[in-house]
Amino acid sequence: MEPTARIEELLAPTLEAMGFDVVRVRFSGGEKPTLQVMAEPLDGAEMTVEHCADISRAASAILDVEDPIPGAYDLEVSSPGMDRPLVKLRDFETYAGHVAKIELKKLRDGRKRHRGRLLGVDDGMVRLDQESGGVAALPFDEIADAKLVVTDELIAEALRKQAGSDGNQEEELSENA
């Protein structure tokens, strides 16, 4: 099992009990490695600094006990943001209708990079209405990297969600723009 998969396996039950979904766990090397834990509230609410602090404390406790990473490292907890990575198969269903960039592990139909509107998933294949024309069916297990593209539609949806959770939020954002 990959080290990041093991770490996600260790953290997910506790974070889910706290009301969060693990979006991605990523480990980057360097002089002092960083373990990034990306999470979001299960109820779709906005991620706050307090949420990140709570997740950081819980993750630190688990990682201190289980010790899955040898040596020192920095723990970074973050939210996925609007240009969120699409990591799980269900992400491609959840964000159907939005524009995404997808990079494959190997060439498929002469290319690795695809960009277009997500059409959902059909039998393990991510369907994408490509900006270059045509619909692509990309095998989920061949996707190396995928993320949403920030568009006016995505921004408007984020503002609607914020307004739903706090009626004054959209007004405050408009005033600050």
Side-chain angles (χ1 to χ4, degrees), residues 149-169:
V149 174
V150 177
T151 61
D152 290 343
E153 292 169 327
L154 194 58
I155 292 168
E157 184 178 308
L159 288 173
R160 278 192 303 275
K161 282 183 181 177
Q162 286 177 342
S165 64
D166 177 0
N168 298 322
Q169 190 74 21

Side-chain angles (χ1 to χ4, degrees), residues 89-105:
L89 192 58
R90 71 174 185 242
D91 294 341
F92 294 93
E93 284 288 349
T94 301
Y95 293 97
H98 291 289
V99 177
K101 285 186 196 179
I102 300 175
E103 184 167 341
L104 301 176
K105 295 174 185 172

Side-chain angles (χ1 to χ4, degrees), residues 16-158:
E16 285 173 15
M18 294 170 60
F20 299 98
D21 183 36
V22 176
V23 174
R24 177 178 72 196
V25 174
R26 185 176 270 177
F27 194 70
S28 58
E31 204 168 297
K32 188 165 186 190
T34 299
L35 175 65
Q36 179 197 51
V37 176
M38 191 178 286
E40 63 188 349
L42 286 168
D43 65 4
E46 185 178 346
M47 187 78 154
T48 66
V49 173
E50 291 81 16
H51 291 147
C52 289
D54 292 343
I55 292 168
S56 181
R57 282 189 291 276
S60 290
I62 293 166
L63 296 171
D64 284 349
V65 170
E66 296 293 332
D67 201 22
I69 302 169
Y73 61 92
D74 288 324
L75 174 62
E76 174 186 296
V77 175
S78 64
S79 70
M82 277 201 290
D83 60 343
R84 67 170 289 122
L86 303 168
V87 181
K88 299 170 183 157
L89 192 58
R90 71 174 185 242
D91 294 341
F92 294 93
E93 284 288 349
T94 301
Y95 293 97
H98 291 289
V99 177
K101 285 186 196 179
I102 300 175
E103 184 167 341
L104 301 176
K105 295 174 185 172
K106 59 185 179 185
L107 288 176
R108 184 167 184 85
D109 299 326
R111 54 195 284 202
K112 284 176 101 175
R113 293 188 178 105
H114 299 264
R115 179 182 164 126
R117 193 162 303 277
L118 289 171
L119 299 175
V121 178
D122 186 22
D123 198 28
M125 304 290 275
V126 174
R127 296 180 56 247
L128 187 73
D129 186 3
Q130 299 182 106
E131 289 179 352
S132 61
V135 174
L138 308 171
F140 175 72
D141 60 354
E142 289 183 21
I143 295 175
D145 192 45
K147 69 178 191 170
L148 290 179
V149 174
V150 177
T151 61
D152 290 343
E153 292 169 327
L154 194 58
I155 292 168
E157 184 178 308

